[in-house]
Structure formats: C-alpha cells, structure tokens
C-alpha cells in the first residue's frame, strides 16, 4: 500500500507521541523520508533499532553504562514503533517483539531507580509487569499503569519517572492481549479486569510497597480499561483515565488504523463480528457505578481518536468524576504533556500521599 | 520587518534547539502562528512566559513544587528566547532579562541536585554563575560550561544533568558580555579568558569540589572561547569545543542574524568596525598551541552557522585534537543530541574521573 496523505497525517500525529517518550525527531524524519510504501515501515524502524543496538553494545564495552542504557531504550522504542502497522505478518512481528523485549531488558539494567521485571499469575494467565520504587525510607504508595490498544508497559518510563520523583512506586502492566503478556501467550478478553486482582495481591504481599490505597492510570484505550479494573478492585482509591473512551458505540466512525489495532488486540479478524462485539461488550455502563474511589477523566478538544465527549459521558454516569479537558490538546494530550503529565502525577500523589 | 522565508527557516532551525532544552513544540507553534511581523517576536514569547509564571505560582500554592519548578523553568526559557531578535530596544530587553532571571531563580529552588547561584570577582568584573554538585561522597571533579553569542548559563540545565549523572559537578558561567553578567554591567572583551582565573580560584578554594583536573565545554561561539580559556588556565585538563569557530575570517559569509548577535555581544554598532575587529581579534591562532590539556572538537556536516572545517582547522594547529563530526548534524548537533551530548559527557567523565 503506497504512502498516501492520510497515512502521512497519521505519522505527523504519531510524531508528538514518539518524541514525548524519547524518539529523536531526526529518527522519525529518516523513516518518513525513506518510506515509499507502507510495508516498508517495520523494516525501516528495525534498521534504526539494529543500528542503535550496535551503538549500545559499543557504549557498554567502553564502560558508558548510562549512555548504553539510553541507547538500548531507544532501540526498544524503534522496534516497538515498527510494530505499529504490522498486523498481517506474525513471524516478522514476533521477531520484532523479541528484539524489542531484549533491548528494553538491557535498558532497564542501567536505569535509576531500577526496573524489576516480574510475572504475576492471574486468573487470565501470566501477566508481565515492570516494578519501580522511589528512594524513600517508608514503603511508598503505588500506581498501576495500563497501556492502550497499540502500546505496552515499556513506553511509560518517562511517566514513571514523574511518579517516582513524587514519591510513588509504579507497576506498568501488560494486561491480557497487550505487549509481552500477549507475546507470551495470554490473549485479550473483554473482561480484561479479571486479571488484575493478581496485581493487587502482588502489592499486598510486598513488604516494600504501601498496601492501603493503590492508584491506577490508563492511557488511551487503557483509559477505558482503568475504570473497569477499579470497579473490580476496591483497593484502588484513585483512578486516572487519559484519552479513553466510554464505549465503542461509534465504531463506524473510528479511524481505520485504530480499528485495525483493535481487531488485532481482540483477535477478531471478521469485520462484522468485531463491530458487533466491540459495540456490545466495550462499555463502561456497568462498571462506572462500581468505581468506589476517585476518578479523574483527562481529555483534549482536538483528540482525533476518541472525542472528549467520552470524558463527559463518564461524568454523566459517575457524577463525582473530575473532568479536565485540554483546549487544543491531541490524543492523550501528547502536545500538552508538559502540563497534562505533571497534573496527573500530582493528582495521584495528592490522593495517595 | 515582516516575517519572510529566511526568518521562518531560522525559526525552524531554532525549533530543534529550543525543544532540546525543554520548550514544548506547541509553544513554538503558537508563536509561529501568531507572528505577523518580526517585531512581534519578543512580545509573543513574553506572553507565553507571563502565562507560565501564573501557572507556576498556582502550582506552588497547591504544594506541587516539582511541577512549579518545571513551570518556572519553561517561563525562563520563554523570556530568554524572546530576546533572540531584540537588539535595538534596551528597555524592553532589560525588562525581559529581569523576568527571565527571576523565573530561573525560582525554578532552581525546586531542582535536584540543587543550583547554587554564585558571583565571582574576576579581573573583568563580577561574573554570575550556577554551581551544581552530584550526590557523591567524595568531592567530585568539575566541568565549567560556557554559553555562546546568544545563549546564557541557564540553558544548560539538561546538559548539567548528564554530567551530574556521571558524577561530575558543573559551573555554568556567564562570561564577560554574556547573559546575567552583561545585564549586571560587565561587557564583552576580546580577551574574554582573562575573567576565568577567578572561576579556577573558586574551584580551588572549595572544599566540596576536586581541585586537580578541571573540565571545560563551550557551546557554539563558546566553542571558540573554550580553547582561549583553556590556554590561559593550566588547571583545565580536558576541553570540549562544540560547534565552534577557529576564527571569524569568513565574517562576510556569516548568517545575518549571527552578525547581529555578535555586534550586540561585542557592543560594536558600526558594521565596518565590527568586521575589522572580528576578523583581526577573533582567532585561536595564538591560543591553541597553549592548550596543554586534551581537546575534543565536535561539529556537524550540516552546520549552517559555523562550518565543520573549523574543527579541522583546530586540529591542524593542535594535532592532538580529537575531532568528531556528526553526519547530517546541525549547528551544535542539536538534531543529533541523543548521541552527541552523552558522548561529550562521557568524554569529560573519562578524562576527569
């Protein structure tokens, strides 16, 4: 499929997101410049990743551990974003995911505070998660972080840093169907939340985390998943939904690439079936009234993925919901992240501290 | 002067630089969108700064000190970049500088490691500098940081962080004619380096800094100044020149805005006189042979301000100079900063550690 204007618009949309987690603008430029056909996308990112791995290995040999860690992290991001339009070639996809996970694992070795990679036995199967703790004398409160339809737990290192700076520990989780958890065999379920009592159990059994009052934040489609998890787990006292949806009743109007993401996430290749199930089963109608803790719904007026009306819909069903809408903000407020991210981190710290 | 294509090209050139120190892309967009005439530039940035100050004050009142500090820092950058085309209106300029210095001072209160603002009595007059120390048990080696023609000591917080992470202390200095030092009355001198024995004395008299083996790095025109300082101060054992010039013999071919910067820096309003003095007096011909420590000259093939031939010219006169040229890099390697900045930080740490 040749690169057309719609897709270039998509890439420009992604640019802010990619840059906000550490992809250099010059790397995005090099992919865009060399992109003749959409099918080149994974390979172009893989080339960047391979080059960055060689750089990281070289830096490690020179004893430059901090520099090497940053290189490994960029390599992981390159491989990860190479997956973004790759739905129909599982062998290539699997190879990229392996490279991505290896790169991120290497990156984590050199990060401060450190990243502990854990597996959690849940009702849905084994979850993969990253745990980080701030340098505090008392056991810190913890925030659970949920990715969206195309993201995975490793993308949140920068946001984790904001929470860690504010004295909060973090657990970024690939839930059923997401990232490493799916890669290792645990697929999506519409009752995604059933996996999360295992995460709560992990917190409660830890001597190094405060067990009363857990926080939760979900990004993008994770902003839909978060209230479902909060409704099932009463230990969660503060939940942030960023750029999420209330339901998928507007399926027909979703951007084509998001539909492809969701079809891949749900593992439903049939267009009529996915439309029906997404419309029927993706909704906060039954969950929101069960959310006992505080809820903050953050959205943007210029979100082209999910309208900010989704945040209003949450407030309608749960009137205590705090709604913050960024004027001119894009999906997940990436172009307002200098204000939106600290705001959410402070909100969580204020509620859990 | 209406905004023409040349100036828009300049702004796009600045974009990477501004973003690399923490100016949100959306802020640059808002200035560019509203820029009808070049004379609007200072006011548009001032408006952003004032808005960000209000945000920072509000965050402080809410007890969000980390968030407030980041807001103050952005406000300082907004005011600072508002100065960039302002050469002919000293009252407005002075007002912006006051706002900038106040904002940065407030930002420094919330930074970790902390920023100590010091004044140093030098042969040229009182210098203003920012000192930061890493969390190490032993007194750390220190790196002196020099701004260029349009920059000032506060822009280097991000680079300081890279050095601090590697166990090095930092002293970012506004030399004669630069930033706060000029604002408080100490103007440029072509023998700029004569002010720097005072900085060395400060290091040698400190109990908290290692006094043997000092590092130095200069950015842009500071990459020209650094070898001059190193030649005068034998305590400096490792010097980095980033994106600097060997001399200004190519004055006539310099970009018009850089000429305006230098005329303002030198305080020589006459075009013929500045041309003559810049050509005669700005040269490393006499200094380079006197640099006893190691020298690293870093440059880029796509530098539109100073050609990378300047780095080669340094090596020609001082053959032990290490030269690193980034292919496709822009002025000061801003678009390669994910590699160039850690490389320079590691080089300094390796030489001083």
């Amino acid at each position: 499929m040749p690169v057309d204007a719609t897709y270039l618009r998509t890439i420009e949309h992604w640019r802010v997101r990619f840059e906000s987690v550490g992809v250099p603008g010059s790397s995005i430029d090099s992919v865009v410049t060399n992109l003749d056909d959409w099918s080149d996308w994974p390979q172009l990112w893989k080339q960047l990743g391979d080059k960055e791995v060689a750089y990281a290995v070289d830096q490690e040999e020179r004893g430059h551990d901090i520099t090497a860690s940053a290189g490994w992290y960029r390599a992981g991001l390159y491989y990860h974003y190479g997956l973004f339009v790759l739905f129909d070639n599982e062998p290539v996809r699997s190879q990229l995911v392996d490279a991505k996970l290896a790169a991120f694992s290497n990156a984590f070795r050199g990060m401060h505070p450190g990243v502990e990679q854990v597996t959690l036995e849940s009702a849905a199967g084994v979850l993969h998660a990253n745990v980080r703790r701030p340098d505090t004398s008392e056991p810190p409160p913890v925030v659970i972080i949920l990715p969206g339809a195309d993201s995975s737990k490793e993308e949140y290192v920068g946001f984790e840093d904001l929470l860690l700076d504010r004295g909060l520990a973090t657990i970024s989780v690939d839930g059923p169907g997401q990232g490493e958890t799916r890669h290792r065999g645990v697929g999506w379920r519409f009752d995604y939340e059933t996996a999360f009592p295992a995460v709560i159990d992990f917190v409660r059994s830890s001597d190094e985390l405060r067990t009363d009052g857990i926080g939760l934040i979900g990004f993008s489609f994770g902003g839909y998943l978060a209230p479902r998890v909060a409704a099932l787990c009463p230990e969660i006292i503060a939940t942030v939904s960023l750029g999420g949806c209330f339901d998928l009743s507007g399926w027909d109007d979703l951007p084509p690439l998001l539909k492809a993401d969701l079809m891949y996430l749900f593992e439903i290749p049939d267009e009529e079936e996915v439309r029906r199930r997404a419309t029927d089963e993706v909704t906060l109608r039954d969950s929101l009234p069960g959310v006992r803790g505080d809820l903050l719904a953050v959205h943007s007026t210029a979100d082209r993925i999910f309208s900010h009306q989704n945040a209003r819909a949450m407030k309608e069903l749960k009137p205590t919901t705090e709604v913050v809408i960024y004027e001119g903000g894009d999906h997940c407020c990436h172009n307002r992240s200098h204000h939106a991210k600290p705001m959410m981190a402070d909100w969580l710290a204020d509620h859990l501290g």
Side-chain angles (χ1 to χ4, degrees), chain A:
Chain A
M1 181 166 47
V3 179
D4 64 13
T6 311
Y7 278 96
L8 286 177
R9 223 166 63 112
T10 301
I11 296 172
E12 287 315 304
H13 181 73
W14 281 339
R15 178 183 291 272
V16 185
R17 168 176 174 186
F18 292 5
E19 288 190 344
S20 77
V21 295
V23 175
S26 56
S27 300
I28 302 169
D29 291 340
S30 84
V31 168
V32 173
T33 306
N34 293 300
L35 194 68
D36 293 322
D37 186 281
W38 208 241
S39 63
D40 300 335
W41 176 269
Q43 195 54 36
L44 289 169
W45 285 101
K46 182 175 182 303
Q47 284 164 10
L48 284 178
D50 292 348
K51 223 167 131 179
E52 202 65 11
V53 163
Y55 165 84
V57 168
D58 177 57
Q59 291 301 317
E60 241 164 28
E61 284 168 6
R62 294 166 190 260
H64 299 154
D65 292 346
I66 299 173
T67 300
S69 170
W72 282 117
Y73 189 70
R74 270 190 304 275
L77 291 175
Y78 292 150
Y79 291 131
H80 174 62
Y81 292 129
L83 297 166
F84 261 36
V85 295
L86 190 60
F87 304 115
D88 53 1
N89 190 332
E90 207 51 44
V92 170
R93 194 178 166 95
S94 190
Q95 188 193 28
L96 265 182
V97 174
D98 282 332
K100 157 189 156 176
L101 293 173
F104 281 132
S105 282
N106 286 326
F108 294 155
R109 282 205 310 268
M111 286 189 185
H112 303 278
V115 181
E116 186 192 353
Q117 300 176 273
V118 301
T119 52
L120 307 171
E121 293 278 353
S122 83
V126 176
L127 306 180
H128 293 260
N130 293 337
V131 182
R132 301 177 76 193
R133 295 176 185 81
D135 294 325
T136 50
S137 46
E138 297 292 301
V142 62
V143 175
I144 300 167
I145 298 176
L146 303 183
D150 62 8
S151 44
S152 68
K153 63 186 180 306
E154 300 86 358
E155 277 176 272
Y156 302 103
V157 163
F159 188 71
E160 289 164 6
D161 285 339
L162 294 186
L163 297 174
L164 291 158
D165 284 346
R166 287 158 176 79
L168 304 175
T170 60
I171 308 183
S172 295
V173 184
D174 284 338
Q178 295 175 313
E180 185 173 6
T181 294
R182 172 177 180 153
H183 184 62
R184 310 257 184 241
V186 177
W188 167 259
R189 41 198 297 165
F190 283 92
D191 58 353
Y192 173 94
E193 64 276 13
T194 52
F196 280 78
V199 182
I200 304 296
D201 288 346
F202 171 80
V203 174
R204 293 171 73 102
S205 67
S206 165
D207 295 335
E208 293 172 310
L209 299 172
R210 228 177 68 191
T211 54
D212 61 318
I214 296 171
L216 173 66
I217 180 169
F219 290 76
S220 187
F221 191 64
Y224 155 74
L225 299 169
R228 289 190 71 116
V229 171
L232 184 68
C233 305
E235 298 84 356
I236 294 171
I237 63 166
T239 300
V240 180
S241 165
L242 170 62
C245 62
F246 175 80
D247 62 23
L248 289 180
S249 59
W251 176 266
D252 293 336
D253 298 326
L254 293 181
L257 200 57
L258 176 63
K259 285 189 199 168
D261 279 331
L262 291 169
M263 288 169 79
Y264 182 82
L265 175 68
F266 299 159
E267 295 178 72
I268 303 177
D270 180 78
E271 294 207 19
E272 198 35 56
E273 186 190 350
V274 74
R275 182 186 184 288
R276 184 175 49 75
R277 296 202 65 187
T279 310
D280 287 354
E281 300 186 48
V282 175
T283 174
L284 291 178
R285 197 182 46 232
D286 302 324
S287 310
L288 266 182
V291 175
R292 272 147 294 183
D294 290 317
L295 178 63
L296 170 66
V298 183
H299 236 290
S300 293
T301 59
D303 189 327
R304 297 204 313 250
I305 305 295
F306 295 128
S307 150
H308 64 280
Q309 295 305 333
N310 283 286
R312 309 253 182 240
M314 291 182 199
K315 188 176 175 65
E316 205 160 296
L317 199 57
K318 181 177 159 66
T320 57
T321 303
E322 291 178 53
V323 174
V324 174
I325 309 279
Y326 284 90
E327 185 64 34
D330 61 9
H331 183 53
C332 287
C333 312
H334 288 300
N335 66 346
R336 296 290 182 273
S337 59
H338 59 294
H339 284 160
K341 283 184 179 171
M343 184 278 289
M344 298 185 296
D346 287 332
W347 189 89
L348 286 163
D350 289 347
H351 279 73
L352 304 176

